[in-house]
Amino acid sequence: MDIRESRPPCAVPEAGLLARRRTSSVTVGDVKVGSEHPVVVQSMTNTDTADVEATVRQVAELAEAGSELVRITVNTSAAAAAVPKVVGRLDSMGVRVPIIGDFHFNGHILLPGHPECAAALSKYRINPGNVGTKKWDAHFATIVECAIEHGKPVRIGVNWGSLDAALLTQMMDENAALPEPLPADAVMIAAVVESAMGSARVAEEIGLAHDAIILSAKVSSVPDLLRVYRALAPLSDYPLHLGLTEAGMARKGTVASSAGIGILLAEGIGDTIRVSLTPAPGGDRREEVLVARQLLQSLGLRSFEPQVTACPGCGRTTSTFFQEMAQDIEGWLRERMPVWKESHPGVEELSVAVMGCVVNGPGESRHADIGISLPGSFEEPSAPVYVDGEHHSTLRGDDIVPQFIAILENYVERRFG
């Protein structure tokens, strides 16, 4: 019996992620966050903001890499005084990325004391746990009133490493009095959520508009991140900023952030993201932006640049040629994007396959917009090229890479030009 004849028809699931949770829309500079708008990538400088030159340079680099919002530290009077200079320099350079001020401990002093800073920023970030315990209400109200006066939105960003101690103590005491107390970690999660929601309620009572509030509730482990945001998301329609706090260095931070943020985005939770990577000494701050963009593109939520599919290699691919070719093609596409994105709309959705042997090579090449299957060990020294699922040509010789690039350039011009 032919197994294909006896097999019952299978149910084909619908493609795609869960629909995004419906949220309000918050305007940050000229960037829309929430509602039906695309998930926004943001990052943060690690310069001393009082050093105007260094801060301007890094903001420009992050913006060029694709950061759509950039946050800077405002922790001293010198930093606050530098903010209008930073924003002015960026404007003169044509860098229009909105700048967010990150305030801890003394925002209630710096914002009213430096009205030019308050006006120049596109958004304020407030950590409710670092506003001040003895005069929390007054300090928090001062910052919110500055936001209202200058027409700025606010991110209420809770962090479990600096959680409101009084709130946590109160909730722990209330839990201990229950007939069946919850585990301490469950109370911690509940306190993080309540700190965000309670602070948002107070901000609205003071007069901040509902559509001027974004919430975040950051923790440093993936399971806890999922628990916090799954609890927080159903409670309101405030846009949510996602990210692990203290995610870690390159490999660990990238994997952990992708796992946590990716799961939540796949569940329809999240309106803006940051991948908080600890850079190596002297490392490139832009890496966190590139990871965040690739995460969104891998989930099919945004398209930023053409994607190259390449096999990992095995015993059939004893030559490193296909690896070098995949690297060359990816680099060439990246170099062409600044020109293409202005003159070839839609090219960011292009898919290219560079495969190393006959096992999956032809099939992957057919699935891509354009692909090439290089010869593996003991295969005929020829490389079939597929365009839009059809065999286009077969390349041979020592100049396969420039031949394929020429075909690719012509394809891009024909389809997107």
Side-chain angles (χ1 to χ4, degrees), residues 36-225:
E36 76 283 359
H37 302 291
V39 178
V40 173
V41 173
Q42 61 179 279
S43 57
M44 184 175 183
T45 60
N46 59 2
T47 60
D48 177 0
T49 303
D51 185 339
V52 174
E53 294 299 322
T55 302
V56 167
R57 183 167 56 250
Q58 192 172 85
V59 170
E61 290 172 350
L62 292 169
E64 184 181 13
S67 185
E68 295 158 304
L69 301 173
V70 177
R71 183 159 45 111
I72 63 175
T73 296
V74 188
N75 58 339
T76 65
S77 182
V83 168
K85 300 174 186 176
V86 169
V87 174
R89 282 287 307 282
L90 291 168
D91 283 344
S92 69
M93 295 165 58
V95 180
R96 302 287 184 237
V97 63
I99 301 299
I100 302 162
D102 194 56
F103 293 95
H104 297 269
F105 308 114
N106 58 357
H108 61 289
I109 297 173
L110 295 178
L111 281 168
H114 294 270
E116 296 88 355
C117 167
L121 292 167
S122 295
K123 186 178 74 172
Y124 311 155
R125 184 277 176 115
I126 312 173
N127 181 340
N130 287 339
V131 170
T133 54
K134 293 183 179 180
K135 295 183 178 179
W136 188 96
D137 291 345
H139 294 176
F140 186 80
T142 297
I143 299 173
V144 171
E145 287 164 356
C146 281
I148 295 169
E149 177 184 353
H150 294 280
K152 308 297 181 180
V154 168
R155 170 159 71 93
I156 296 173
V158 180
N159 191 309
W160 76 344
S162 51
L163 187 58
D164 185 334
L167 174 64
L168 179 60
T169 299
Q170 176 188 340
M171 294 183 68
M172 285 290 188
D173 290 343
E174 292 172 352
N175 180 65
L178 296 175
E180 297 183 12
L182 298 171
D185 64 331
V187 181
M188 171 73 81
I189 296 296
V192 170
V193 172
E194 175 53 32
S195 180
M197 291 301 303
S199 299
R201 287 193 297 269
V202 172
E204 288 204 52
E205 289 170 2
I206 294 169
L208 189 63
H210 184 85
D211 62 359
I213 298 174
I214 297 173
L215 298 184
S216 67
K218 292 191 175 183
V219 296
S220 56
S221 80
V222 172
D224 287 324
L225 186 78

Side-chain angles (χ1 to χ4, degrees), residues 335-392:
E335 289 177 5
R336 296 291 286 145
M337 271 306 293
V339 175
W340 281 346
K341 70 180 180 181
E342 301 297 333
S343 58
H344 294 65
V347 71
E348 65 276 3
E349 298 179 2
L350 175 71
S351 61
V352 181
V354 179
M355 304 301 293
C357 81
V358 75
V359 172
N360 292 318
E364 288 284 359
S365 296
R366 288 190 182 97
H367 288 312
D369 293 321
I370 181 169
I372 185 169
S373 179
L374 299 172
S377 304
F378 311 112
E379 293 175 20
E380 181 185 349
S382 61
V385 174
Y386 297 85
V387 174
D388 291 332
E390 301 292 336
H391 180 255
H392 172 275

Side-chain angles (χ1 to χ4, degrees), residues 58 61-62 64-65 283-291:
Q58 192 172 85
E61 290 172 350
L62 292 169
E64 184 181 13
D284 194 337
R285 191 67 165 181
R286 293 172 292 185
E287 183 64 21
E288 66 176 45
V289 179
L290 302 179
V291 171

